[in-house]
Amino acid sequence: MTQALRQGSGMSRRLLLLLTLTCAVGVGTVYFPQAVSPLVVTALDESPGSAALVVTAIQIGYTAGIFLLVPLGDRLPHRPFLVTLVALTGTGLLAAGCAPGLAPLLGAAAVVGVTTVAAQVIGPLAAGLVAADRRGAVLGTLLSGSTGGMLLARTFGGTLGEWLGWRAPYLVAGAVALLLAAVLARTLPDTIPASRRPYPALLAEPLRLLRAEPELRRSCLYQAAVFGAFSAVWTCLALLLTGPAYGLGAHAVGMLALVGAVTMLCTPYAGRLVDRRGADLVNLGCLLGVLVSAGILAAGARGGAAGLAALAGGTLLLDVAMQSGTVANQARVYALRPDARSRLNTAYMTCAYLGGSGGSWLGVRIYGRAGWQGVCALVAVLAALALARHLVAPRGRNARQAGGGGRGAPVPVGIGGPPTAAPPVAAVGRTV
């Protein structure tokens, strides 16, 4: 039994596959209730608006979990922390599947939302288990798992729910989560917490890091702008496809979303590119991609087969750009403060979700006044603002080092040292 593992030796292919699967299950848990909601309406004799509260409860819980629990990734050993989170998610899913009415279902959904933040804890863990020149590739692989979980969750929930009733997806997902927790308990390496600060200080730290780290603010701006554009497009796409220009059903949006499955193949490549060329180059390509996608999407307003082709191509380019940019941004963020990666991720993800919420809100209002062309103009403006920041502002030292572009010496991992200099993860004991 080793006393400490060198950085980069704690991530095997088996462990990476397991962590990727955990990300897929965690993110999928947030999305599959959307497909089950109509079945809940019928089975529990509730109004559509009331049943939709289940989805809202999970989403609100997820946001709360990012703020309240993810910072603990710097304070607690990752193995028991992750196992507990996944086990609580599984228990909450089983409780939801057995709920006798809407109120207990809402309570269980809120618990599931709060605890299903495993993917946001896994990112900082993985960043500390691999050398700097592999970090982008690993983050890209994990993101492909999250994307797969998001895309397949609705199909899983809807299909299983149609066959066996609305409870079946919850019960099956709960059993899978509990099984995954048992496997994680036996497989994850032990880690040394990067911080011993009290919990209230951890909660306040993301805001302090935003003030202190210009590279964190830059990454947050990029992601908030791009995710805001992404959310505006996908929120208004249903209005366009079901409107007079196309006259299609709501299922058409789901079919179009499957085009985004290509991003599962692109994000690992983007991660390797970050490792080789650095995060800034990937960000530049992604922001240009979002700008180009706005022009392609604008052609979708004409309707017909040509319009559908434009929508498919534009949303695919937008999806690839957003997900690849996420890899670049996270690689830059995780390189800033190895002792505070979970808190950095909390600040980053909070800004991203605020940008996404703002994009959805603004997109719907612009669509009501200026139609689809107005939404595409919003996408172009958001991309142009982020691109202007990228081109004219000076880069910091960490930006040049983050995400590859050179194979410098990895940060040593071990026991001891001042907290501010310690790496986020020191894997000890169990090897994989």
Side-chain angles (χ1 to χ4, degrees):
M1 184 178 290
T2 59
Q3 189 68 9
L5 294 177
R6 289 184 59 81
Q7 177 132 342
S9 65
M11 179 69 73
S12 65
R13 289 186 178 182
R14 182 183 67 169
L15 179 58
L16 179 57
L17 177 61
L18 178 63
L19 294 178
T20 303
L21 177 61
T22 305
C23 288
V25 172
V27 173
T29 298
V30 180
Y31 286 93
F32 85 78
Q34 295 176 354
V36 179
S37 182
L39 302 175
V40 174
V41 171
T42 303
L44 298 183
D45 194 23
E46 296 286 346
S47 68
S50 298
L53 290 175
V54 177
V55 177
T56 303
I58 289 182
Q59 292 175 338
I60 292 175
Y62 188 70
T63 304
I66 290 175
F67 179 76
L68 296 173
L69 297 182
V70 172
L72 287 172
D74 290 330
R75 181 68 176 83
L76 301 175
H78 285 95
R79 181 158 61 92
F81 185 37
L82 269 174
V83 169
T84 301
L85 285 177
V86 177
L88 287 174
T89 297
T91 304
L93 288 167
L94 293 180
C98 297
L102 183 62
L105 179 58
L106 288 174
V111 171
V112 168
V114 171
T115 59
T116 190
V117 293
Q120 308 308 329
V121 177
I122 286 172
L125 165 64
L129 289 176
V130 297
D133 60 352
R134 286 190 58 217
R135 190 171 295 144
V138 168
L139 292 176
T141 301
L142 294 175
L143 186 57
S144 70
S146 297
T147 303
M150 179 178 63
L151 291 173
L152 297 176
R154 297 183 183 94
T155 302
F156 157 79
T159 303
L160 194 61
E162 289 287 349
W163 287 350
L164 302 175
W166 72 268
R167 299 180 187 275
Y170 284 98
L171 296 175
V172 171
V176 169
L178 290 177
L179 178 61
L180 194 57
V183 175
L184 289 170
R186 297 181 59 85
T187 307
L188 285 178
D190 293 326
T191 59
I192 297 174
S195 173
R196 298 188 181 278
R197 302 189 68 180
Y199 180 60
L202 290 177
L203 291 182
E205 188 74 1
L207 184 59
R208 191 191 69 78
L209 288 169
L210 274 172
R211 291 197 303 264
E213 298 288 351
E215 292 303 292
L216 173 61
R217 295 196 298 272
R218 180 161 75 99
S219 298
C220 289
L221 172 63
Y222 295 165
Q223 191 65 15
V226 174
F227 193 43
F230 176 89
S231 299
V233 166
W234 282 101
T235 300
C236 298
L237 194 60
L239 302 176
L240 175 66
L241 291 178
T242 57
Y246 289 94
L248 299 175
H251 68 280
V253 181
M255 295 301 296
L256 194 59
L258 291 179
V259 175
V262 176
T263 59
M264 296 175 61
L265 305 177
C266 295
T267 48
Y269 172 78
R272 291 192 292 270
L273 188 59
V274 169
D275 290 335
R276 292 196 302 266
R277 303 295 298 276
D280 281 340
L281 180 65
V282 175
N283 272 135
L284 177 61
C286 293
L287 294 174
L288 290 172
V290 175
L291 197 58
V292 172
S293 75
I296 299 174
L297 287 167
R302 69 183 66 173
L308 274 177
L311 292 178
T315 53
L316 175 58
L317 180 57
L318 180 62
D319 287 7
V320 171
M322 188 201 72
Q323 300 287 16
S324 299
T326 298
V327 177
N329 290 327
Q330 287 185 322
R332 182 187 298 108
V333 167
Y334 291 154
L336 294 175
R337 287 276 305 274
D339 62 303
R341 285 192 175 119
S342 291
R343 285 162 284 172
L344 288 165
N345 196 41
T346 297
Y348 172 77
M349 293 303 301
T350 300
C351 290
Y353 273 89
L354 287 175
S357 300
S360 296
W361 181 86
L362 194 57
V364 170
R365 279 146 188 81
I366 290 177
Y367 185 87
R369 296 186 178 185
W372 181 249
Q373 299 285 10
V375 175
C376 295
L378 173 63
V379 173
V381 169
L382 291 173
L385 289 174
L387 185 61
R389 169 65 177 85
H390 189 74
L391 293 176
V392 304
R395 312 288 194 269
R397 174 181 61 86
N398 292 99
R400 293 190 294 270
Q401 293 177 348
R407 295 180 180 271
V411 179
V413 173
I415 301 175
T420 57
V425 176
V428 298
R430 185 170 309 187
T431 60
V432 292

